[in-house]
Each structure stands twice: as structure tokens, then as C-alpha cells.
């Protein structure tokens, strides 16, 4: 059992927009993830291949309204396709630009806020924010796995409170900060909220525990390691996230 519960509880308040009093945050029983029409690599080896529906203009399932918010020069786009506005289930796909076309690099099942998505995220609403956000800083409980992103390793700041269920103890082994209501260039647990506390914050990519979160996006451990090693600041990576209807709008 881990010690240092006080410092860990403080860190947990920031992570995923957590309220420590809600112990069910980022928790629950595993639910089936339906990929639907989300493109993903095929083949038994898992080798990435171009999406057959990829086009030079953008990536599948993302409409012009959101695509216009992707910064010029971006060559890595993580898209989180939520199953529905009120669903905690989603699929995360990494696209990379090769020449003029976007190609699927890899794809994984994921979870988002346990109450789904919101275009007007508020602290404690248990929904993930819809939008386009840069990915600039990483960290975690474990040592840097070889990421190109600035990485903060801190055994106290990223350890789950000792009284959390065991299923949550590895949630923050690795995290990538989603730049929603935070200062870029700071460690993921930086408490500053430029838009105010009411707009929430501490929205991360982190390890999955089997069900919805309080606002973060969670993926399996191998996916986090892959993303940390693959995302390159020189490629200006961003995440485009939301339920499928919101993404297409």
C-alpha cells in the first residue's frame, strides 16, 4: 500500500478535474466499446496502414468547423471519437500527415467523461470538453519512457491516493496534459486555470481503468507508451475530441 496520501490527494484534485470526495471518479465496471465507423488499422500484426477514407483536406469524421481550429503545420492529430453525447465510451485514433494525406498510425479503445461530452465544460460536470487542444507536456509516476514531450516524473504528485480502489492505482503512471484551461509549457499538474476554476481543468490523457472518467481521456497502458514515444513537438500535435455528432458538425 502506498504512503503519502495527503500529497497524493492534492494532486488528484487537479487530475481529470477530480473532486477527491467523488471516489468513483474515473472508475466503475468495464463496458464494451463499439468502434462503429471509426477508421482503424487492420491486420493481425497490428501494423499501421493508411486509412482508405483519408483525404488531403482532413481526417474522417471531423467537420470543417473543428478542422479549421487545427493549427497550420500540425502533422500529428489524435482524434477521440466519442460513441455518443452521454456515453463514456470512445475510440482514440492517431493520424499522421504523410505528404498531402493523413494516415491512420494506430487506434485503441478509450474512455472519456462518464457522463459523456460538453461543448461548455464546467468543473464537476463529469463530461469531457469538446474541441481542439494542443498536446505539449507530459509526466507521470514512472520514469520517462522516451518521450519527446517535456516530461515530469514525480512519485508523489502523480500517485493516486492510497485509499482509492486498487483499480485506480496506476491511472497516472503516464499522463499527457490536454491543453484545456491550462498554461502550456508547465508540468501537467500545474494548478493555474486561465479561464477560471469554474471551467474546470486537469484534463489529461492517462491510463485506462475500465470505465468513464471525470473529464479525462483514458487508454490502455501500451497506447500511452506508444503515444508518449510517438508524439513529437516538432509535428505540433493536437487532440480533436468529442462525440461523433459534435465532431462532424
Amino acid at each position: 500500500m502506498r504512503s503519502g496520501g495527503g500529497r497524493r490527494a492534492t494532486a488528484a484534485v487537479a487530475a481529470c478535474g477530480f473532486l477527491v470526495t467523488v471516489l468513483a471518479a474515473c472508475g466503475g465496471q468495464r463496458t464494451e466499446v463499439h468502434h462503429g465507423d471509426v477508421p482503424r488499422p487492420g491486420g493481425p500484426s497490428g501494423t499501421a496502414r493508411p486509412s482508405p477514407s483519408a483525404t488531403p483536406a482532413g481526417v474522417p469524421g471531423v467537420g470543417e468547423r473543428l478542422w479549421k481550429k487545427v493549427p497550420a503545420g500540425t502533422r500529428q492529430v489524435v482524434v477521440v471519437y466519442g460513441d455518443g453525447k452521454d456515453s463514456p465510451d470512445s475510440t482514440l485514433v492517431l493520424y499522421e500527415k504523410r505528404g498531402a494525406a493523413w494516415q491512420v498510425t494506430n487506434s485503441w479503445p478509450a474512455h472519456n467523461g462518464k457522463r459523456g461530452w460538453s461543448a461548455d465544460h464546467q468543473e464537476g460536470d463529469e463530461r469531457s470538453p469538446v474541441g481542439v487542444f494542443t498536446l505539449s507536456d507530459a509526466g507521470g509516476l514512472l520514469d520517462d519512457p522516451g518521450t519527446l514531450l517535456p516530461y515530469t516524473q514525480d512519485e508523489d504528485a502523480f500517485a493516486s491516493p492510497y485509499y482509492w480502489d486498487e483499480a485506480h492505482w496506476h491511472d497516472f503512471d503516464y499522463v499527457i496534459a490536454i491543453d484545456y484551461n491550462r498554461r502550456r509549457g508547465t508540468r501537467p499538474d500545474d494548478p493555474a486555470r486561465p479561464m477560471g476554476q469554474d471551467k474546470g481543468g486537469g484534463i489529461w490523457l492517462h491510463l485506462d481503468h475500465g470505465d468513464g472518467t471525470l473529464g479525462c481521456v483514458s487508454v490502455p497502458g501500451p497506447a500511452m507508451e506508444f503515444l508518449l514515444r510517438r508524439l513529437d513537438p516538432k509535428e505540433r500535435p493536437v487532440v480533436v475530441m468529442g462525440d461523433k455528432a459534435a465532431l462532424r458538425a
Side-chain angles (χ1 to χ4, degrees):
M1 183 173 293
R2 298 173 178 173
S3 60
R7 294 183 64 184
R8 295 170 185 178
T10 301
V13 172
C16 291
F18 280 170
L19 299 175
V20 178
T21 55
V22 185
L23 194 56
C26 296
Q29 299 298 313
R30 179 172 298 276
T31 54
E32 183 180 1
V33 176
H34 300 278
H35 293 272
D37 57 357
V38 176
R40 56 193 186 276
S45 66
T47 303
R49 66 186 183 191
S51 166
S53 57
T55 66
V59 302
V62 178
E64 184 178 3
R65 178 182 62 86
L66 284 178
W67 190 251
K68 284 182 177 179
K69 297 181 181 181
V70 175
T74 289
R75 300 183 65 84
Q76 290 180 320
V77 173
V78 175
V79 182
V80 183
Y81 296 93
D83 279 8
K85 182 180 179 181
D86 301 318
S87 172
D89 300 326
S90 52
T91 301
L92 184 148
V93 182
L94 172 62
Y95 295 92
E96 295 180 301
K97 198 170 188 181
R98 296 291 179 260
W102 290 92
Q103 298 181 359
V104 174
T105 300
N106 219 326
S107 172
W108 302 271
H111 286 100
N112 49 268
K114 61 183 179 180
R115 292 192 176 182
W117 298 90
S118 174
D120 184 24
H121 175 69
Q122 300 292 317
E123 181 73 28
D125 67 5
E126 301 179 354
R127 294 178 179 270
S128 297
V130 175
V132 178
F133 310 103
T134 52
L135 300 170
S136 54
D137 301 282
L141 178 71
L142 303 181
D143 291 338
D144 183 347
T147 184
L148 297 174
L149 298 170
Y151 189 90
T152 301
Q153 190 273 337
D154 192 321
E155 293 183 1
D156 291 318
F158 295 104
S160 301
Y162 69 91
Y163 51 83
W164 278 15
D165 186 89
E166 185 176 355
H168 297 269
W169 285 359
H170 296 284
D171 282 7
F172 312 130
D173 281 0
Y174 296 122
V175 306
I176 299 173
I178 294 172
D179 293 335
Y180 167 83
N181 197 19
R182 70 178 301 270
R183 298 184 302 184
R184 293 179 60 185
T186 61
R187 50 188 288 161
D189 61 336
D190 180 82
R193 302 288 181 261
M195 296 188 297
Q197 292 295 326
D198 289 347
K199 295 295 291 180
I203 307 297
W204 296 347
L205 288 170
H206 67 68
L207 270 68
D208 190 62
H209 50 251
D211 206 347
T213 72
L214 281 187
C216 292
V217 173
S218 61
V219 292
M224 279 300 302
E225 293 185 28
F226 184 95
L227 290 169
L228 282 165
R229 292 173 179 147
R230 189 80 176 193
L231 295 177
D232 186 344
K234 294 180 181 179
E235 304 294 337
R236 302 182 183 181
V238 302
V239 59
V240 182
M241 51 195 275
D243 59 278
K244 292 176 186 176
L247 292 177
R248 290 192 302 265

